[in-house]
Each structure stands twice: as structure tokens, then as C-alpha cells.
Amino acid sequence: MKSFFVRGKLVFLLYLLQSCVQENNFDIVLEDFEGGLFSENWEIQGTAFHQPVNIDSLQDTVFNVHGKYFAYSSNQVPGTFKGSGKLISNSFTINRNFLRFLIAGDQHETRSSVNLIIDNTIVKTATGKNDLILREIIWDIRKYQGKEAYLEIVDALATDSEEGFDNRLLVDRIVLSDDNWDNKMVFEDFESGTFNSWNVTGDAFREPNSNKNVYYPIIANGYKGNYYAFSFGDSHDLLQGMLVSKPFKIQYDKIQFLIGGGSHDGKTCINLVVGEKVVRSATGDDDGNLRRKEWNVKNLRGSIATIEIVDQYSGPWGHIIIDEILFVNTPWYQRYAKIAGVVFVIFLITIFLLLKIRKKSKIEISDIDRAALEQLKNQIIISKEFTNQKFNLASFSKSVGMDSENIEQLFLTGEGKTFSFFINELRVEEFKKELQDPKNKAYTMIYIANQCGFSSKTSFYRIFKEVTKITPTEYKKLL
């Protein structure tokens, strides 16, 4: 019976861990209005909706627009909002768990709203909050799986609002998704193929990159979708410039993004700007790999901000790569699932360390073994055999005529570490010394690492961080 409960606990913990990393189906964008027309996807009724509105054509500031265009109920006469009518979408099959969209404008559930209709019945409805801040709505539609549905975007209000807010409804980016986060909004993914929603200065950013306009030798890896912002062009690193987003109100806990390119602070970077002050910044790691990074912006909630993507450097790695900028709130259930997983892992590590300490306490190295160990260490250090990439326990065992298991045991009992870890520590220290040597100033870190015994960039970065707790790039900045 006891073993049954133990197995049950393990299954539950594994389920929690799995839920933290579960992959969802890709999102389906039903409409983002970036075509600038309602086209055949929508039936237009009444006079409120003529065509998607370009944000640059408005005098009022609309916050959190995704891309350049969005649905906006208004007459064609500037400054008037007297039309009434609706947009009715084509029918679609519900094959995801959630429906997400952005909405702003009047708060009236029946006359200014977005409605989800199934079997001729409104099953979900959402409104704005009497302002021009587009907020994300997420509907749980799991119970309607397989059903045919359509959407209504409705503005049927009278001419003047009792609250003094000009009657209007704004809607943008309608997406079917399996992502069940309570709040996650795609601020920019560049999938429109243009920089229309950004203010472009300089020459570095001409259009979002794709597989069709890659300039060798730099290739981006890890981007999402088809397009991404990339300041490396046909002139390579020479050109400089900047992308600046439209203003938005910070209403989320975190801002996440994919970033690659140069590691030059303030020169190849992405910045969060509040009140003309850079309050958050990040750079690449001097390679073409886009990595997920994030800013905690809880303390900036309510602030009006912009995002800058900056290339003001023309030397080596003088470019920046950015994709998929997200606004994120971490849901409570995911937080607790992660905590449970972390606690479980910490528990296992603690048990392992206690057992290891207990085992080590029973083993004492003799004076003879200590002398043998010191002799082996001195031979490795003086000869610098560790700088040979092919040097390992097997080759060393053969050269000294000692069984490899005996050597490993000497290092474990006498040094408290494996032979391999001891060698990696020597290689890291050799790299540090060579990196600071003026004669190596012209060489890259990877070249120097190879001369110190590291066989690949991946193993070098992994081992260096394992030994020093920081990356080689971070270490270089400290010099």
C-alpha cells in the first residue's frame, strides 16, 4: 500500500512538471485587419464600419494597437462618431481552447460589443471600458469544441453617450489559441511584413527580414513565424538606425522578447522608455541565436511607455535581432505548478547531497593516495596536457599507466570532484589568463577557448557558466 501512494505522488509531481512545459498547438489568426480592408471575410451592415482605420490617420491616441490597422466604428467625417452598424464574420470551426482579441471603446453589453454566436445564440460578449485603451479579452471556449461559430462586432449606440465619451468601438487581432495564460498579449511579431506600426529612423531597418532576404554570413536562428526585425543588411554592420513603437500603457507584469545580435550596451539593444528615460534594456550575446529574455515591469504598471530597438554601432556584431514582443501576466496555477516542481527538484537534490556527504564522510584518503593524487595533478598542470582538446581520463590513464577508475576515485575522495570537472576548471582558468593577455586582443573568445582545450562553442559556454556561474560574455564585460 505504501509503495502505491509513493507511486501516486510521483505521478502527480510528474504531471505538474509536464504541465509547465506542455506545448500547445499554433495560434490561428482569424483577423488582424493588416490588409487595410474588411474584404470577403466580413459582411458589413449599417454605416459604422467602412474599412479598417490606420492609426496614423487619427488625432486621438489609441493605446496597444497591434500592427497598423484595426476595426474602428466611425463616420468618414473626422471627429464624428454617429454611425451605427456591425461587422459579421464568416463562420469558423472552434478547434482551439481559447478565443483572444483586443477591444476598446464604449462599455455597453448589447449595443457596443463583440459577440460570439453559436447556433444563433450569443454565448460570449465583451465591451470596452469607455476609453481608447485596447485590452485583451480571453474567452474559454473548450466546451464548444467542433462547433461552427461566427463573430459580431456591434456599434448600435445612440449619437451621444451619457458618460460623455464619443460613441465608438475598437477591435484588433482576433486569434484562436490553445494558450491558457490568464493574460498574454502579442505586442509585435512583425508578421505583417512591415514596420508600419513603428517610427523608423536611420538606414539599418528597412523591412522585417525573412528567409528571402538573409544577408550572409549572419543568419538568425530561433525566430517565430516568418518575419523579424534585423538591422544586418546588404551593407552588413555599417548602417545604423532605430525603431520606436507607438506609446502604450503598461498593464502587465512582464515584457518578454526574443533577442540576438550584438552585446553592446546602449548601442545594439532593445530599450523600454518611460518619461524619456530608459528604464529597462537588453542586448544580444554576440551571435545569431534569438533567446527569450524578459523584463519585470510590475512596478511600472500604469506608466505610458515606448519600446526602442536600437542599432547605433558599426563595428563587429554591430546589429540587433528582435522578434515576438509579448506582454505577460503569469497565471496563479502556473506559478504554483512551477513552485511544486522546483520544491520537488530541491528535495531530490538535498537527498542526493546528504547521501553523498554521508558516503564521503566514511572515506578518508591515505597519505600514500594523497601523494599519488598531488603527483597526478602536478603532471597535468605543468605539462598543460589539458589544453589538448583530445585530452581526457582515458588518454591520461594510458599515459601514466594507471587504471582510470583508480584515478577517478583519487579525485573524488581527495578533491571532492570528478577528474573531468578538475580538467574543466583548469581550462577555464587558462582561458581567463589568455583572454587578459594583450597578445590575444585580436582573437575571438571562441578561438582562445579552443586553444585552452574546449572543443566547441556550446561546451565552452556551458562549462564556463557551470564553473564560474556567469557566461563568458558577462565575464569579459567585468574586465
Side-chain angles (χ1 to χ4, degrees):
M1 180 63 72
K2 183 177 179 180
S3 62
F4 171 79
F5 284 113
V6 170
R7 286 197 302 271
K9 289 179 181 178
L10 288 173
V11 169
F12 175 69
L13 287 168
L14 288 171
Y15 169 76
L16 289 176
L17 288 170
Q18 184 181 14
S19 68
C20 296
V21 297
Q22 184 177 2
E23 293 290 334
N24 295 328
N25 292 319
F26 61 87
D27 291 351
I28 300 173
V29 179
L30 293 178
E31 183 61 81
D32 59 9
F33 304 108
E34 290 305 300
L37 297 170
F38 290 126
S39 68
E40 70 277 1
N41 295 328
W42 298 88
E43 176 188 342
I44 303 174
Q45 295 184 357
T47 59
F49 298 96
H50 299 281
Q51 61 186 16
V53 172
N54 186 323
I55 189 172
D56 291 335
S57 68
L58 300 175
Q59 293 182 347
D60 294 326
T61 301
V62 178
F63 295 102
N64 299 336
V65 173
H66 183 279
K68 195 80 166 179
Y69 292 88
F70 54 98
Y72 195 178
S73 64
S74 66
N75 277 349
Q76 291 192 13
V77 180
T80 64
F81 301 90
K82 299 180 180 179
S84 63
K86 66 173 66 174
L87 292 173
I88 302 174
S89 76
N90 290 341
S91 64
F92 57 90
T93 302
I94 294 178
N95 57 1
R96 295 291 187 274
N97 293 328
F98 301 90
L99 181 66
R100 318 162 70 93
F101 57 93
L102 299 170
I103 187 170
D106 279 282
Q107 188 169 10
H108 197 294
E109 288 190 359
T110 58
R111 295 192 175 187
S112 181
S113 60
V114 173
N115 302 321
L116 178 65
I117 299 176
I118 298 175
D119 295 332
N120 296 318
T121 302
I122 296 176
V123 297
K124 297 280 186 181
T125 190
T127 73
K129 293 188 176 181
N130 293 330
D131 58 29
L132 297 179
I133 301 172
L134 283 155
R135 297 177 175 86
E136 187 172 41
I137 300 294
I138 303 176
W139 286 335
D140 187 334
I141 53 175
R142 283 174 286 192
K143 68 179 181 180
Y144 304 116
Q145 286 288 317
K147 292 274 191 178
E148 290 295 309
Y150 66 92
L151 291 167
E152 286 184 341
I153 301 176
V154 181
D155 181 354
L157 282 172
T159 302
D160 297 315
S161 169
E162 294 178 359
E163 290 81 8
F165 180 76
D166 288 336
N167 301 331
R168 64 192 95 169
L169 182 67
L170 299 75
V171 178
D172 199 5
R173 191 168 172 82
I174 305 168
V175 179
L176 284 171
S177 175
D178 273 342
D179 194 337
N180 59 354
W181 285 28
D182 291 336
N183 260 322
K184 183 173 80 170
M185 188 183 85
V186 178
F187 179 71
E188 181 60 84
D189 58 10
F190 303 105
E191 290 307 297
S192 67
T194 70
F195 289 132
N196 283 346
S197 59
W198 297 75
N199 181 32
V200 183
T201 59
D203 302 313
F205 299 95
R206 297 176 180 176
E207 62 180 3
N209 274 52
S210 68
N211 289 330
K212 295 181 180 178
N213 57 352
V214 173
Y215 295 98
Y216 295 96
I218 303 300
I219 300 175
N221 297 304
Y223 58 89
K224 303 292 184 181
N226 297 314
Y227 295 94
Y228 49 94
F230 196 6
S231 65
F232 185 87
D234 53 4
S235 297
H236 291 187
D237 283 330
L238 295 179
L239 299 180
Q240 299 182 11
M242 182 185 298
L243 298 174
V244 181
S245 75
K246 299 294 182 183
F248 59 91
K249 181 177 283 190
I250 298 176
Q251 297 176 297
Y252 293 78
D253 295 337
K254 301 174 183 177
I255 297 178
Q256 297 181 346
F257 45 88
L258 293 169
I259 184 169
S263 64
H264 312 289
D265 290 334
K267 295 183 178 180
T268 55
C269 57
I270 181 171
N271 298 327
L272 179 67
V273 180
V274 175
E276 299 184 356
K277 179 181 178 182
V278 175
V279 294
R280 301 285 189 276
S281 186
T283 71
D285 293 320
D286 287 343
D287 60 28
N289 297 317
L290 281 87
R291 298 174 177 87
R292 179 74 64 190
K293 296 186 180 181
E294 70 177 25
W295 296 319
N296 187 325
V297 293
K298 282 184 180 179
N299 64 324
L300 297 173
R301 274 179 171 266
S303 302
I304 304 301
T306 57
I307 289 176
E308 297 176 344
I309 301 175
V310 180
D311 180 353
Q312 299 294 336
Y313 187 77
S314 298
W317 293 104
H319 59 269
I320 190 73
I321 319 170
I322 299 292
D323 196 14
E324 197 175 66
I325 303 172
L326 306 175
F327 296 163
V328 175
N329 279 333
T330 304
W332 68 268
Y333 55 81
Q334 189 174 39
R335 278 201 307 271
Y336 288 120
K338 286 186 175 180
I339 290 171
V342 170
V343 169
F344 179 61
V345 171
I346 291 174
F347 171 76
L348 291 179
I349 292 173
T350 302
I351 295 299
F352 172 77
L353 292 176
L354 288 173
L355 291 173
K356 189 173 182 180
I357 292 171
R358 184 179 177 186
K359 182 179 179 181
K360 285 174 65 176
S361 65
K362 296 179 179 180
I363 302 173
E364 294 184 1
I365 189 169
S366 67
D367 292 340
I368 296 176
D369 285 344
R370 172 60 65 185
L373 174 61
E374 292 303 319
Q375 185 177 354
L376 293 176
K377 288 166 56 180
N378 289 335
Q379 179 172 336
I380 295 169
I381 294 170
I382 294 171
S383 68
K384 285 196 173 184
E385 292 178 89
F386 59 87
T387 60
N388 185 340
Q389 294 180 6
K390 295 183 179 180
F391 178 74
N392 55 29
L393 178 57
S395 62
F396 184 62
S397 170
K398 187 175 181 180
S399 67
V400 298
M402 184 182 294
D403 186 77
S404 59
E405 290 186 4
N406 291 340
I407 296 174
E408 183 76 355
Q409 190 61 42
L410 281 175
F411 277 88
L412 284 172
T413 55
E415 292 290 312
K417 62 188 71 171
T418 64
F419 177 85
S420 177
F421 193 82
F422 176 78
I423 297 303
N424 286 335
E425 286 181 323
L426 292 178
R427 286 170 173 167
V428 167
E429 290 305 313
E430 185 73 9
F431 168 81
K432 289 181 180 179
K433 184 179 72 174
E434 293 296 319
L435 182 65
Q436 297 179 60
D437 192 327
K439 76 175 189 297
N440 292 324
K441 188 175 181 180
Y443 296 117
T444 65
M445 289 196 299
I446 300 305
Y447 175 83
I448 297 172
N450 288 339
Q451 302 308 304
C452 296
F454 293 100
S455 59
S456 70
K457 178 180 177 180
T458 301
S459 63
F460 166 57
Y461 269 74
R462 175 180 56 78
I463 291 168
F464 190 94
K465 189 168 185 179
E466 182 181 357
V467 172
T468 66
K469 310 307 178 188
I470 60 174
T471 67
T473 304
E474 291 169 339
Y475 174 76
K476 187 177 181 180
K477 291 179 179 178
L478 296 175
L479 298 179

